[in-house]
Amino acid sequence: MVYLTTFYWGWLLASLLLGLAMGWISVVQRGQGVSKTLVRWLAVLAAALVAAAFARIVPGRFGYWLDLGLVMFALYLCGCAVGSWLRDRVVSRSAPAG
């Protein structure tokens, strides 16, 4: 993991900043969403990918890409959450009462 942060810090920072920007500019949609079945399948898939990364099941270059992709995706999601939270704080303060 230290190797990834040492040599790919620019890409990791870019994924965090991209997530921050996407969280800031995204508009909350109050529509149908994703079904509970699909959410469960995606959670199982994400857990399986993280487990494969920790267990080092995927060898070589593809395992390296898996680790890097998971770290970048996690940073992107954290950036999205922070950007959305910041936008909510800024917009809710500047919105007129009424």
Side-chain angles (χ1 to χ4, degrees):
M1 194 61 65
V2 174
Y3 179 80
L4 291 176
T5 56
T6 301
F7 290 101
Y8 294 109
W9 67 269
W11 288 99
L12 296 174
L13 180 64
S15 66
L16 180 70
L17 292 176
L18 182 65
L20 186 72
M22 292 300 108
W24 180 268
I25 66 171
S26 65
V27 177
V28 175
Q29 177 185 0
R30 306 261 192 259
Q32 285 290 351
V34 181
S35 69
K36 288 185 180 182
T37 306
L38 184 59
V39 168
R40 287 187 186 126
W41 278 107
L42 291 174
V44 167
L45 176 66
L49 288 173
V50 169
F54 276 119
R56 298 184 188 266
I57 293 173
V58 183
R61 181 179 295 182
F62 295 113
Y64 182 74
W65 289 345
L66 175 65
D67 291 347
L68 183 60
L70 287 173
V71 171
M72 288 180 73
F73 186 61
L75 286 173
Y76 174 79
L77 289 179
C78 289
C80 285
V82 170
S84 177
W85 177 75
L86 284 174
R87 180 180 169 92
D88 180 56
R89 299 286 290 175
V90 169
V91 170
S92 66
R93 285 187 181 170
S94 62

